[in-house]
């Protein structure tokens, strides 16, 4: 039976099914686009992206986004930005290649740093790019002013870190080994037996005939044994003397090891630097590092999603029930990039909350693309208004990326700053704040400055730092200073940057702190030395006693045996001399 | 419920009027739906083929149902295959670059490692699966099917209310 290959009657239902499918897609296209945009945005930014509604008007190449909220990847309950409406003119043809080319984007009602009800951060502080940036920032953190809290913190002293117990144990082992060797040598001397044999020979010679040649030979052999035993005893004595001296030197070396242990323990004292630059870093370093960290996060994000060159690039695939895999892009010269935003006009509002009504500024962005090498021009952003300037350039067109950004605010209420470990808060009031950040290849250069002429200092009763006399001192110093100038700069490679912070508070505060810190530091050092002594004494004293006792004991025992041998030899030699003085007898 | 549907599909397919070849072709096409991520354009084409070609629709449903868990299990292997083809085979790079920059083709998500790996695997499996399942259906119908129809269990199942319910939804020949 021949079976037909095609089921022609199914064509009509298939077409109907396809049309229904298309209708459903058109019906839900806006919702699908909303979810897709949220998912892609969240992956890109590393924080929750929420959109009220996306409307696709593909016949007119227009996409409208309403109610965009991007959570801050840094702050738990803060938004990075919110926008009322974004309208994008999209080129429809690249969509067939799954590429998005936006000719023009307008955004209105952009607001920054607004509050949100839930934590919008994705992942933890140690995950992915955020983890890398946090790790980078940690190496720049300077110890806070521990001294100012009224306590000098002493780290836990681990006995395993100390040298002296190890050295003492080694010395004890050497002493044991030497004792065993010397004991064996003493036993090997056999001095008592040889001396007894010599004494018996002396007795034997007493009544012997001078012509007894055999006895005379025996007496000469016994004398030889005595001499050999004496030689061995002398060699052993030299060995004991040298060995005892070495052991004594080892015991003296324990004192040096203890000094090294004091140094190790002193390293556990979290002593703050009291020079002016250290004080500046302790006061404002943390705030500056936060700013630099954020700038680096955006630069690294830009480098990740806007890489230079035309090599295939793999990015995580879409989230789905099945494994996401990786989606690989294959850019080619003279083709459209996978994403390109040619120009964007932004209307944004800036101003501190609770102060004067926020001002509205205009900004523009251009050349944001996933494939800078294809577009051939760097991405730029700029905004300018009275008292406000912003400029950014991300040049990933060439193999070595160059990123730089600078922003300054003048005549605007600046956000307050909490000084670490101090119950003091700085309200800068109206002032000037500037941040510049530049990364070329792996070289980073950044600067953050704050200038405020009429600052207000407030005591922060809720601060974690406990009240202390030194905290009071700091309060007295800073509260009399009406203006603040802070400058933090960063330079070097991204892997090993150097941070320098200075402020007009540094010198005044450093001098006062140095005056009161000396006594605190000395007391802390005494405590740590006592802690070392308590851990070391139990190991050192028995070993020193063992070494001292060993030298004396061996000398005494060896001396006794040498005396026995000497006496026996003298007696035997005397007897032999008497024996050979007999007339007519000559010793052979 | 899923198990019941699977059993229904199995009974429906194995005892249908279709030839073993139609059943095997349907099952092999259905396996592509199961092995690869569902919401992709290539699966719309596979679905259209199942409808337009004179293959067993029930067999296709059976193949889909059977191979969905296999697809989940083999996802790591698909990822590896896709990665090897897309990123670690320089000879294929011009092909992928041309396809990536061609209209419509990128909409298939061929440049996703799991999609490409699973499609390649499913296509490679298609012919062996077709011949194996055709042989299996022939053997089943020649040996087990007739004995099963005479068994008390089959008569009990077919006489049950459940089977009557199934017959209500059985497509007309």
């Amino acid at each position: 039976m021949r079976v037909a290959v095609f089921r022609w009657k199914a064509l009509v239902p298939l077409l109907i099914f396809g049309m229904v499918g298309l209708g459903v897609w058109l019906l839900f296209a806006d919702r699908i686009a909303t979810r897709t945009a949220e998912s892609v945005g969240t992956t890109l930014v590393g924080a929750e992206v929420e959109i009220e509604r996306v409307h696709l008007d593909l016949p007119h190449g227009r996409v409208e986004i309403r109610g965009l909220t991007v959570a801050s990847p840094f702050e738990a309950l803060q938004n990075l930005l919110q926008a009322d409406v974004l309208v994008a003119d999209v080129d429809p043809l690249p969509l067939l290649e799954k590429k998005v080319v936006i000719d023009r984007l307008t955004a209105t009602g952009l607001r920054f740093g607004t509050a949100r009800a839930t934590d919008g951060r994705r992942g933890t502080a140690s995950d992915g790019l955020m983890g890398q940036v946090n790790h980078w920032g940690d190496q720049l953190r300077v110890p806070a002013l521990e001294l100012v809290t009224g306590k000098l913190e002493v780290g836990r002293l681990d006995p395993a870190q100390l040298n002296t117990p190890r050295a003492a144990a080694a010395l004890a082992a050497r002493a044991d080994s030497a004792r065993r060797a010397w004991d064996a040598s003493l036993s090997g001397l056999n001095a008592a037996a040889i001396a007894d044999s010599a004494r018996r020979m002396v007795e034997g010679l007493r009544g012997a005939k001078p012509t007894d040649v055999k006895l005379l030979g025996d007496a000469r052999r016994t004398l030889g044994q005595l001499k050999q035993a004496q030689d061995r005893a002398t060699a052993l004595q030299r060995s004991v003397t040298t060995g005892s001296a070495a052991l004594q030197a080892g015991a003296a070396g324990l004192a040096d090891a203890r000094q090294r242990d004091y140094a190790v323990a002193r390293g556990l004292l979290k002593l703050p630097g009291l020079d002016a630059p250290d004080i500046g870093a302790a006061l404002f370093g943390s705030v500056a590092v936060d700013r630099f960290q954020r700038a680096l996060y955006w630069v690294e994000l830009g480098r990740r999603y806007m890489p230079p060159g035309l090599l295939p690039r793999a990015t995580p695939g879409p989230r789905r029930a099945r494994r996401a895999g990786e989606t690989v892009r294959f850019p080619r010269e003279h083709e459209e990039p996978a994403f390109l935003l040619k120009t964007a006009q932004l209307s944004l509002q800036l101003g501190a909350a609770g102060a004067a009504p926020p001002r509205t500024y205009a900004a523009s962005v251009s050349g944001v693309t996933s494939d800078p090498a294809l577009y051939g021009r760097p991405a730029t952003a700029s905004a300018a208004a009275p008292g406000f300037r912003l400029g950014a350039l991300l040049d990933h067109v060439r193999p070595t990326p160059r990123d730089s950004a600078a922003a300054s605010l003048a005549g605007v209420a600046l956000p307050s700053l909490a000084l670490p470990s101090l119950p003091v808060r700085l309200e800068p009031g109206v002032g000037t704040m500037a941040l510049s950040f530049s990364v070329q290849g792996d070289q980073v250069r950044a600067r953050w400055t704050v200038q405020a002429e009429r600052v207000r200092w407030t005591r922060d009763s809720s601060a974690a730092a406990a009240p202390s006399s030194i905290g009071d001192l700091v309060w007295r110093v800073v509260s009399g200073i009406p203006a603040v100038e802070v400058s933090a700069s960063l330079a070097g490679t991204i892997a090993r940057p150097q941070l320098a912070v200075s402020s007009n508070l540094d010198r005044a505060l450093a001098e006062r702190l140095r005056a009161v810190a000396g006594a605190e530091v000395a007391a802390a050092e005494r405590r740590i030395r006592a802690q070392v002594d308590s851990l070391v004494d139990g190991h050192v004293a028995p070993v020193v006693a063992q070494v001292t006792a060993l030298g004396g004991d061996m000398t005494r025992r060896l001396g006794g045996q040498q005396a026995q041998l000497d006496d026996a030899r003298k007696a035997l030699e005397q007897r032999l001399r008497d024996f050979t003085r007999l007339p007519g007898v000559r010793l052979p | 419920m899923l198990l019941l549907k699977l059993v229904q599909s199995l009974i429906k397919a194995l005892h249908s009027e279709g030839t073993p070849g139609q059943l095997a072709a349907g099952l092999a096409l259905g396996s592509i739906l199961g092995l690869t991520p569902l919401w992709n354009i290539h699966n719309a084409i596979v679905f259209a083929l199942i409808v337009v070609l004179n293959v067993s629709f029930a067999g296709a449903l059976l193949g889909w149902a059977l191979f969905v868990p296999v697809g989940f299990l083999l996802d790591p292997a698909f990822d590896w295959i896709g990665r090897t083809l897309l990123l670690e085979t320089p000879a294929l790079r011009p092909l992928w670059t041309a396809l990536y920059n061609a209209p419509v083709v990128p909409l298939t998500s061929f440049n996703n490692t799991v999609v490409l790996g699973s499609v390649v695997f499913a296509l490679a499996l298609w012919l062996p699966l077709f011949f194996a399942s055709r042989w299996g259906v022939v053997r089943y119908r020649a040996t087990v099917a007739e004995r099963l129809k005479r068994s008390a269990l089959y008569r009990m199942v077919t006489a049950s209310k459940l089977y009557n319910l199934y017959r209500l939804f059985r497509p007309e020949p």
Side-chain angles (χ1 to χ4, degrees):
Chain A
M1 186 180 73
R2 272 183 69 86
V3 178
V5 175
F6 293 102
R7 195 154 37 200
W8 295 113
K9 63 181 180 183
L11 269 183
V12 175
L14 182 66
L15 282 174
I16 293 171
F17 185 82
M19 288 172 73
V20 169
L22 187 65
V24 168
W25 188 86
L26 287 174
L27 204 62
F28 291 100
D30 287 357
R31 194 168 295 179
I32 294 168
T34 304
R35 296 286 164 263
T36 306
E38 284 180 339
S39 170
V40 171
T42 301
T43 306
L44 286 178
V45 178
E48 209 71 54
V49 171
E50 293 146 0
I51 297 170
E52 276 177 23
R53 183 168 174 263
V54 172
H55 175 58
L56 301 178
D57 184 4
L58 292 182
H60 298 96
R62 194 178 147 94
V63 177
E64 188 178 285
I65 298 173
R66 287 190 174 273
L68 170 72
T69 300
V70 181
S72 168
F74 312 104
E75 308 284 348
L77 300 176
Q78 200 176 75
N79 288 316
L80 180 69
L81 64 89
Q82 283 189 294
D84 293 336
V85 183
L86 288 92
V87 178
D89 294 332
V90 180
D91 194 352
L93 279 180
L95 290 176
L96 286 175
E97 296 176 21
K98 218 175 174 179
K99 294 173 179 173
V100 179
V101 176
I102 301 171
D103 292 324
R104 188 167 181 275
L105 175 83
T106 56
T108 54
L110 271 176
R111 299 175 301 284
F112 297 91
T114 53
R116 60 180 287 125
T118 56
D119 186 352
R121 293 172 298 178
R122 299 299 300 261
T124 64
S126 58
D127 284 348
L129 180 57
M130 185 59 80
Q132 291 171 23
V133 171
N134 283 339
H135 181 68
W136 176 83
D138 287 344
Q139 66 178 322
L140 291 170
R141 307 260 174 210
V142 289
L145 283 170
E146 303 281 349
L147 190 60
V148 177
T149 64
K151 289 179 195 165
L152 256 182
E153 196 177 325
V154 179
R156 189 174 160 274
L157 186 57
D158 181 2
Q161 287 179 292
L162 299 178
N163 297 298
T164 313
R166 281 199 299 276
L171 185 60
R174 275 173 56 202
D176 283 341
S177 169
R179 172 183 286 280
R180 279 195 297 276
W182 292 337
D183 279 344
S185 298
L186 266 179
S187 303
L189 273 181
N190 215 6
I194 292 171
D196 284 346
S197 168
R199 276 193 289 273
R200 281 196 300 276
M201 183 56 67
V202 169
E203 291 303 317
L205 285 173
R206 204 180 293 278
K209 293 178 182 171
T211 53
D212 191 346
V213 178
K214 183 175 178 297
L215 184 62
L216 189 62
D218 289 345
R220 294 296 302 269
R221 270 196 299 279
T222 304
L223 186 62
Q225 285 173 350
L226 266 174
K227 284 179 180 171
Q228 283 175 359
Q230 276 186 311
D231 289 345
R232 288 203 303 276
T234 306
L236 181 59
Q237 188 180 26
R238 274 200 300 273
S239 168
V240 168
T241 306
T242 314
S244 292
L247 289 173
Q248 290 292 349
L254 293 179
D256 296 336
R258 188 187 294 243
Q259 292 301 323
R260 288 198 298 277
D261 287 341
Y262 288 150
V264 168
R266 195 178 181 283
L268 297 173
L269 280 177
K270 293 176 181 169
L271 291 175
L274 295 177
D275 295 331
D278 296 331
I279 296 290
L283 286 176
F284 297 105
S286 183
V287 185
V289 168
D290 280 347
R291 270 40 175 195
F292 295 148
Q293 231 174 282
R294 292 177 187 208
L296 183 68
Y297 179 80
W298 295 116
V299 166
E300 289 294 331
L301 207 62
R303 289 184 172 192
R304 178 174 290 192
Y305 291 107
M306 302 168 64
L310 291 173
L311 288 173
R313 283 139 202 179
T315 51
R319 280 187 292 171
R320 58 186 168 210
R322 296 281 294 265
R323 178 183 275 238
E326 282 184 311
T327 298
V328 188
R329 290 191 289 115
F330 295 90
R332 185 166 67 182
E333 275 184 300
H334 312 303
E335 298 283 352
E336 296 283 8
F339 176 84
L340 171 61
L341 169 62
K342 289 181 179 169
T343 62
Q345 300 298 323
L346 316 173
S347 165
L348 48 101
Q349 296 173 338
L350 290 177
R359 301 179 192 179
T360 301
Y361 301 107
S364 66
V365 175
S366 69
V368 178
T369 175
S370 58
D371 303 293
L374 289 184
Y375 188 56
R377 275 169 279 176
T380 60
S382 65
F388 171 69
R389 280 193 313 113
L390 167 80
L393 184 138
L394 277 74
D395 185 357
H396 298 180
V397 176
R398 281 176 284 275
T400 303
R402 294 181 304 150
D403 304 292
S404 58
S408 66
L409 274 172
V412 178
L414 302 176
S416 64
L417 304 171
L419 305 189
S421 301
L422 287 168
V424 180
R425 202 169 181 80
L426 168 63
E427 306 281 354
V430 175
T432 301
M433 187 181 281
L435 174 71
S436 65
F437 196 86
S438 160
V439 184
Q440 294 205 11
D442 67 341
Q443 294 291 319
V444 62
R445 185 170 291 277
R447 189 175 166 81
W448 175 69
T449 58
V450 178
Q451 286 177 310
E453 297 298 326
R454 283 189 293 276
V455 303
R456 203 159 62 85
W457 298 94
T458 53
R459 289 208 78 158
D460 192 353
S461 56
S462 65
S468 70
S469 58
I470 299 176
D472 290 341
L473 169 74
V474 174
W475 166 251
R476 283 200 301 277
V477 172
V478 299
S479 60
I481 296 175
V484 165
E485 284 185 29
V486 181
S487 172
S489 59
L490 190 73
T493 62
I494 293 179
R496 291 189 175 279
Q498 296 291 321
L499 176 72
V501 186
S502 65
S503 79
N504 60 330
L505 309 180
D506 303 350
R507 184 171 295 173
L509 205 50
E511 284 171 1
R512 301 295 293 273
L513 278 175
R514 200 178 289 116
V516 294
E520 288 277 346
V521 172
E525 283 187 348
R526 277 197 301 276
R527 284 203 302 276
I528 200 79
R529 285 171 74 98
Q531 202 176 337
V532 170
D533 287 342
S534 69
L535 288 169
V536 163
D537 282 345
H539 296 272
V540 170
V543 177
V544 171
Q546 182 187 356
V547 167
T548 309
L550 176 62
D553 181 43
M554 289 309 300
T555 306
R556 183 178 50 76
R557 287 166 60 196
L558 185 59
Q561 297 208 7
Q562 279 179 314
Q564 271 187 325
L565 290 172
D566 285 346
D567 291 346
R569 181 178 172 180
K570 279 177 191 162
L572 185 57
E573 282 177 342
Q574 183 60 45
R575 190 68 197 147
L576 278 172
R577 270 196 297 274
D578 294 345
F579 194 71
T580 54
R581 264 196 223 114
L582 292 173
V585 177
R586 301 197 63 84
L587 285 172
Chain B
M1 205 60 193
L2 187 71
L3 191 66
L4 179 66
K5 282 180 180 171
L6 193 64
V7 173
Q8 283 176 350
S9 293
L10 190 65
I11 292 171
K12 194 162 53 173
L14 293 175
H15 294 262
S16 68
E17 299 297 321
T19 65
Q22 283 175 301
L23 188 59
L27 193 137
L29 282 172
S31 73
I32 299 177
L33 298 179
L35 286 171
T36 63
L38 188 62
W39 299 108
N40 272 295
I41 286 184
H42 71 267
N43 276 339
I45 296 167
V46 172
F47 179 75
L49 286 175
I50 290 169
V51 172
V52 171
L53 296 178
N54 198 7
V55 298
S56 166
F57 200 76
L61 288 179
L62 178 65
W64 181 20
L66 282 177
F67 280 91
V68 163
V70 180
F72 272 90
L73 282 175
L74 292 181
D75 265 351
F78 298 156
D79 193 20
W80 178 81
I81 293 170
R83 188 184 309 275
T84 304
L85 292 173
L86 286 170
L87 289 169
E88 290 159 23
T89 314
L92 291 174
R93 193 169 293 166
L95 172 69
W96 306 132
T97 305
L99 290 176
Y100 179 79
N101 292 287
V104 182
V105 183
L107 298 175
T108 62
S109 297
F110 81 92
N111 55 332
N112 181 271
T113 52
V114 172
V115 172
L116 183 70
S118 62
V119 168
V120 167
F121 182 86
L123 291 178
L125 187 70
W126 198 88
L127 270 182
L129 188 65
F130 170 75
F131 287 116
S133 52
R134 190 174 67 170
W135 178 82
V137 172
V138 169
R139 296 291 302 156
Y140 171 82
R141 286 183 176 173
T143 56
V144 183
E146 288 306 316
R147 265 185 286 163
L148 190 71
K149 275 182 183 173
R150 289 195 295 273
S151 73
L153 180 71
Y154 183 86
R155 282 201 296 273
M156 193 174 74
V157 170
T158 51
S160 71
K161 286 181 181 174
L162 197 65
Y163 187 74
N164 289 338
L165 187 67
Y166 154 66
R167 288 179 63 182
L168 279 178
F169 294 98
R170 188 174 61 176
E172 293 299 318

